[in-house]
Amino acid sequence: MSIKHYLWIIFILGLRTGCAKPAAQPNYIDIHPNDNMETIVKKAAALRPSPRQAAWQKLEMTGFIHFTVNTFTDMEWGQGDESPQIFNPTNFDAEQMVKACKDAGIQLIIPTAKHHDGFCLWPSKFTDHSVKNSPWKKGRGDIIAEFAAACQKHGLKFGFYLSPWDRHEPSYGSDAYNEYFVNQLTELMTQYGEISEVWFDGACGEGNNGQRQVFDWETYYAIIRKLAPKAVIAVMGPDVRWVGTESGYGRETEWSVLPLAVQNRDKITENSQSDVNFIPNEDKTQEDLGSREKLKNAGTLVWYPSEVDVSIRPGWFWHENENNLVKTPEKLVDIYYSSVGRNSVLLLNIPPTMEGKFHEKDIKSLQGMRQILDNTFENNFLEKASSSNISGINILCDGDPESSWKSKDLTPRLIFGFDQEIEFDRFMIQEDVFNVGQRVEAFSLFAKINGKWQEMIKATTIGYKRLLRFPPVKTDEIKIEIFESRNTPALSEIGLYKAPPDINIIPEKASFKNHLEVQLESSEPGCDIFYTLDGSEPNRNSQKYSGPITLTESTTLKVFGIRENKTTLVKETIFTKARYGITYIHSFSPKYSGGGTFGIIDGKTGSTNFADGLWQGFEGQDFEVILDLGDSKTLQSASARFLQDYKSWIFLPQQVEFLISRDAKNFVVIDRIINDISVNDSGPVIQEFKTTALMENVRFLKIKAKNIGHCPQGHPGENGKAWIFTDEILIL
Ligand code: FUL
């Protein structure tokens, strides 16, 4: 028999016995009653993600798209009784959204196929409560199909959110609902191409019929495993854990291996799965989930990694009155460091408007975030380093999270030198969690400065990825020291980077009477700042900043900085020159200053959201101001706008008086308008109080709005101080 024949037989045998493809290691391990602490810790250190968890972890940034009837009713949680007729996006554009996500670095998209209100964004066969009964595309549209197609076209992965809680479906609360849910799940799993993540929300309450549902999770999971074996099941699922907050900030110490209570062990064995196939339902909001202390009493250890879900706006759905509250690029970058940079996957929500596309402000923030991140991570100094004490370091900068430098010690020390001095302020380090496991418990980064090692930053866990920030440092030698590990660590990637500086405009925003001094400050020395005052985009040829700028007219200031080829984002502020002087009899609350002293005569009106930065708030006091018109004038009208938001203790004034004077001492009442809007909690309202009496010879105009004093009887804050909120006075 020739060698060839021999190999052929081995190959056939291998196939038959399954050796050609080694069986995946389970993503859990049992603890035996006689395992000591050392054994338990070693077991934890040996666990690795399942293949589907591994593929998901590498995505780093994923995107949520919350869209449903809520977008049209201005709600966060729909009631379930909304008519499908209200769902009518005027210009739905899945590609615009998918492209914006892709440009931002998002690699998988999860639209809400059905939120708690029960309305389905796809034409499900199993209910009439869907797009098929909406006017959008005459009932022939399918939002999920359009998202799936756009993702496929642009190379993004696709998943969906399907709310188990359903406030519309009449069968909710019975076995029939489980059947309904399974049918819907099957539709979504079979009609839209490859599914990479299924997101089951933990939020759950009664249906409209007052019933609660007992969910048949095992059946749901079995269907997903059968129809999309590569998909992860998130949150109310076995593969991906909710980080425990919706703030965008993960834990400083984030373990992907978690202990499970003893009683859950049987279930794993019963399933005889290679992966855990039920919700590890321990409390996910605790600060410590996976320390040695926590592992001590575990029955089983399981790989259950964290996902950080957060919205780019205060709400998950789009609301007109949150257009001013879109998170800034800098805030999104901070979230990136605190999620992706803390061993988690980021799930960033961007909600479409009633048009059915992202708002320009959200897109601008996404672009700004990407620009800062690209600018930071474009050059890894460690690629050019050499090590004096370890070999084979190229593997640490090869961009492959699965190739690693494997330490022989529990507490290795890695020293790197550079041909010339480098300046950096960001550190990235990854463990090979895919082939080895998560092991590091404490480490530090040092820089040699004047011949001495100085600690730049210290941290605990690494896991898939850790990103650390610290003030810029210059050196030609660095040291990474691992102080504690569960077993000998394997590092896959490391990086040192320099972030672009930031620029602050001081004051950040303001209106002024005569003139205003504006200063520009960089977060780092050596940054050249350029600006324009005419609304044009600043560049290197624009005016260079050398000291305070004095503004005497309303101005759009745009600034941008360069420091050693790192550019900042362009920042912009509109400073408005007020036409009148203004004196406050009672001052506004510093929490709600609405743009400061001149904020109520700057032409900017607020939304129904009292916290949008444009409203001035007065707690328990009247609103009373005197406007100085500069010289004697004839006025056609004067008005003031006020807000009522019952839930937030903000009430319309009892009455508003308009008074005029020539000398600011003797005032004559021109008009008194009594409020006739009732005090109720039917949602925020804005009311304008306006006088149209002709006012002659006016130099000073006083506006006096009477606070109702205390929250009325029956209000949750009964007898607490009532607020008055105003955003704008208009004089014609
Ligand atoms: C929560 C839900 O109640 C919110 O509406 C949103 O969908 C968020 C992602 O999950 O539990």
Side-chain angles (χ1 to χ4, degrees), residues 56-76:
W56 166 85
Q57 186 83 57
K58 288 179 197 164
L59 299 175
E60 299 194 357
M61 275 175 80
T62 57
F64 242 161
I65 298 185
H66 273 66
F67 195 35
T68 184
V69 286
N70 297 351
T71 314
F72 301 85
T73 55
D74 208 12
M75 306 269 284
E76 273 293 302

Side-chain angles (χ1 to χ4, degrees), residues 64 66 70 76-77 112 115-116 161 163 165 199 201-204 235 242 246 309-310 316-317 347 349:
F64 242 161
H66 273 66
N70 297 351
E76 273 293 302
W77 280 5
T112 49
H115 204 251
H116 311 325
Y161 166 114
S163 172
W165 181 25
W199 218 89
D201 202 331
C204 188
V235 178
W242 179 49
E246 291 178 346
D309 64 327
V310 60
W316 290 100
F317 290 90
L347 175 57
N349 176 59

Side-chain angles (χ1 to χ4, degrees), residues 583-600:
T583 308
Y584 287 80
I585 309 303
H586 310 289
S587 48
F588 46 82
S589 153
K591 275 205 299 205
Y592 304 105
S593 66
T597 307
F598 299 98
I600 51 168

